[in-house]
Amino acid sequence: QVQLVESGGGSVQAGGSLRLACLFSGTSRTPHMGWFRQAPGKLRTGVASIRRDETYTYYADSVKGRFTISRDDHKNTVYLQMDRLTTEDTAVYYCAARVAGSGFSTKEADFPYWGQGTQVTVS
């Protein structure tokens, strides 16, 4: 069973930075990975995704140029570096995985494995 655990969330002032990490386990196949977020009273939306071989990345327009997704498969970890944070970035951030062999996707419904989320609060 694929499992994912997020870490690195917290409270920061506007303009600050955080780096989220997601440790994944339970699969011998390299997965596609994605980050999603859900703000209070809003739907969960895609933030960034990275293909299994790192040949393609996706960023939502709202975070493009400020956030960077990366991965270290030797450590079974995907990261989300968040810079120049604003109050609009406040949300619970979720890590998700899609097992290699299937096509790359940025849609929530195409990611069957999810972590529990980590809170990011920007004030």
Side-chain angles (χ1 to χ4, degrees), residues 3-75:
Q3 299 182 54
L4 304 95
V5 180
E6 303 97 335
S7 62
S11 298
V12 298
Q13 295 184 5
S17 298
L18 285 173
R19 188 173 78 155
L20 307 183
C22 174
L23 178 67
F24 58 89
S25 62
T27 177
S28 61
R29 298 176 68 94
T30 304
H32 305 299
M33 301 295 295
W35 286 97
F36 299 79
R37 67 185 181 186
Q38 186 169 26
K42 297 184 178 180
L43 298 174
R44 186 157 60 187
T45 60
V47 176
S49 301
I50 185 167
R51 186 175 171 142
R52 58 194 174 196
D53 60 2
E54 305 184 49
T55 59
Y56 182 80
T57 56
Y58 160 82
Y59 296 96
D61 288 341
S62 59
V63 307
K64 192 172 298 182
R66 299 188 298 117
F67 290 12
T68 303
I69 188 170
S70 62
R71 65 191 302 155
D72 185 341
D73 290 330
H74 180 69
K75 297 181 178 180

Side-chain angles (χ1 to χ4, degrees), residues 51-120:
R51 186 175 171 142
R52 58 194 174 196
D53 60 2
E54 305 184 49
T55 59
Y56 182 80
T57 56
Y58 160 82
Y59 296 96
D61 288 341
S62 59
V63 307
K64 192 172 298 182
R66 299 188 298 117
F67 290 12
T68 303
I69 188 170
S70 62
R71 65 191 302 155
D72 185 341
D73 290 330
H74 180 69
K75 297 181 178 180
N76 291 340
T77 303
V78 63
Y79 303 94
L80 184 67
Q81 178 67 43
M82 305 185 294
D83 297 322
R84 302 190 302 281
L85 286 161
T86 74
T87 56
E88 289 75 26
D89 296 316
T90 295
V92 176
Y93 284 71
Y94 298 89
C95 179
R98 178 174 171 82
V99 176
S102 55
F104 178 78
S105 177
T106 62
K107 298 180 179 180
E108 178 179 341
D110 290 333
F111 286 82
Y113 306 107
W114 293 79
Q116 294 298 311
T118 184
Q119 176 71 48
V120 172

